Amino acid sequence: MAASLTAAEPENVAFTQPDDAGADYELQGEYVGELNSNEGKRKIAVQVIALGDGKFRAVAYLDGLPGDGWSRGGDQHRGEGELNDGQIQFHPENPDASENTTAILQNGAFSIRRDGSTVAELKKVERKSPTLGARPPKGSVVLFDGANTDAWENGKLVEKNLLGPTNASSKEKFGDHLLHVEFRTPFMPTARGQGRGNSGVYVQSRYECQVLDSFGLEGEENECGGIYSIARPAVNMCFPPLSWQTYDIDFTAARYDEKGNKTKNARATIKHNGVVIHKDIELPHGTPGCHPEGPGPDSVFLQDHGNPVAFRNIWVVAK
């Protein structure tokens, strides 16, 4: 969210290390398998979202995970459940549409049963972005490689070799460019909405690509991958919290005449975890929270919203 910089509520504890995150963290994640139906076998996937205190939400996608078989408008089913004696039984959001069907997560497997028979057995998977760890090309400007924050105004190291979300601005300013950023949202199971792993990557300090723990959500303009106040992502590619994720942004700056009047809007193509979520989208205006639109190059800006988001491997290639 761009407008205000408020800290997370005290009870919304944030975990930055998997070893400290507890049993709920171990159960959440993505599960993939095959559904046996009257029409034959069909790929099915489920995202399990931890809500704190042993409570969970499950979102099932027919044909695969978002960005890997499932697209907006595809079949989707939701349910909620609570951990009890090592098992979570999910109750469907729409019981009438799922009569005689139960979904159970136990011993690392997500099973779907219909009329007493198992029709799907899903196993946990861990997706990684194909651009994770991408090396900066020759001639690129390395903004952060884990060694120091020399390339940033107000930059701060966290966990020894990561960059914190401290309203840091790159000292170098950019016009048309390619930007690679890797980020990690914290595990905040009891937080909701804009209080759950919130930050933002501002291209030219003017256009925010939202950073948020939006795992399992619809994917709106104020959620992860959204261009705040302008456009929602084509698909919600947000991985579970504490996963390292990537943005690869191909940006063309707005054009201005000699009098400072804008003659052409900025444009961007954005990949989230390797999947195009905005394709050559026009940016008709800037987004709130940092600098207004204007002529000339400007900095990369990493927003502070009070949550312990972390960044690494940031580089730019000027076009």
Side-chain angles (χ1 to χ4, degrees):
M1 183 178 180
S4 61
L5 304 179
T6 56
E9 294 297 325
E11 64 269 19
N12 290 337
V13 61
F15 298 95
T16 59
Q17 300 300 321
D19 290 344
D20 301 328
D24 286 11
Y25 172 77
E26 294 296 328
L27 291 167
Q28 71 155 18
E30 299 184 318
Y31 296 78
V32 176
E34 286 188 331
L35 175 68
N36 295 309
S37 67
N38 295 333
E39 293 78 28
K41 292 185 177 181
R42 188 176 183 183
K43 191 174 182 181
I44 187 171
V46 173
Q47 292 181 328
V48 175
I49 305 99
L51 302 177
D53 301 321
K55 296 180 175 62
F56 296 84
R57 178 179 300 118
V59 185
Y61 305 89
L62 290 174
D63 299 322
L65 288 165
D68 187 23
W70 185 89
S71 301
R72 279 194 188 274
D75 290 340
Q76 186 181 134
H77 303 277
R78 298 176 179 273
E80 300 208 357
E82 189 167 352
L83 182 63
N84 187 12
D85 293 330
Q87 179 188 97
I88 307 171
Q89 181 169 337
F90 289 93
H91 304 283
E93 189 176 74
N94 183 3
D96 294 338
S98 306
E99 191 175 359
N100 301 323
T101 301
T102 58
I104 294 174
L105 176 56
Q106 187 175 29
N107 298 326
F110 193 105
S111 62
I112 300 174
R113 300 171 187 172
R114 185 173 296 146
D115 296 322
S117 298
T118 299
V119 294
E121 191 83 13
L122 290 70
K123 300 297 184 182
K124 194 172 187 181
V125 299
E126 184 179 349
R127 293 193 286 177
K128 292 186 181 296
S129 168
T131 67
L132 192 68
R135 297 173 64 87
K138 185 177 180 180
S140 60
V141 177
V142 177
L143 294 180
F144 186 72
D145 63 5
N148 56 61
T149 61
D150 292 352
W152 298 85
E153 296 286 354
N154 205 40
K156 180 181 178 182
L157 285 176
V158 296
E159 300 176 44
K160 297 183 179 179
N161 63 351
L162 304 178
L163 185 63
T166 54
N167 289 336
S169 297
S170 64
K171 292 179 181 178
E172 189 158 346
K173 299 181 179 183
F174 304 97
D176 299 350
H177 65 279
L178 306 173
L179 170 65
H180 176 84
V181 180
E182 299 181 8
F183 65 94
R184 185 196 69 196
T185 61
F187 178 53
M188 303 179 66
T190 60
R192 300 291 183 268
Q194 299 294 302
R196 191 168 167 126
N198 197 332
S199 181
V201 174
Y202 282 72
V203 181
Q204 279 198 331
S205 298
R206 295 165 176 153
Y207 313 94
E208 180 187 10
C209 189
Q210 176 80 52
V211 171
L212 193 73
D213 173 13
S214 303
F215 178 59
L217 300 182
E218 287 297 315
E220 302 296 345
E221 50 82 18
N222 65 343
E223 295 175 0
C224 203
I227 302 176
Y228 191 79
S229 77
I230 294 177
R232 67 180 187 173
V235 64
N236 179 10
M237 279 304 302
C238 192
F239 287 170
L242 297 187
S243 304
W244 279 101
Q245 307 187 55
T246 59
Y247 281 149
D248 291 279
I249 301 172
D250 185 344
F251 176 76
T252 301
R255 300 307 198 239
Y256 289 79
D257 63 21
E258 300 84 0
K259 296 181 179 180
N261 299 310
K262 187 167 67 168
T263 59
K264 189 178 291 187
N265 288 325
R267 306 190 75 90
T269 293
I270 301 177
K271 293 181 180 179
H272 184 190
N273 292 325
V275 174
V276 175
I277 59 169
H278 299 286
K279 186 174 182 180
D280 192 28
I281 189 171
E282 188 171 9
L283 307 177
H285 54 79
T287 59
C290 198
H291 295 170
E293 276 195 305
D298 210 338
S299 305
V300 177
F301 177 80
L302 304 177
Q303 185 195 49
D304 180 9
H305 206 285
N307 296 159
V309 175
F311 298 90
R312 71 181 187 189
N313 193 20
I314 307 173
W315 45 263
V316 171
V317 178
K319 293 196 291 182

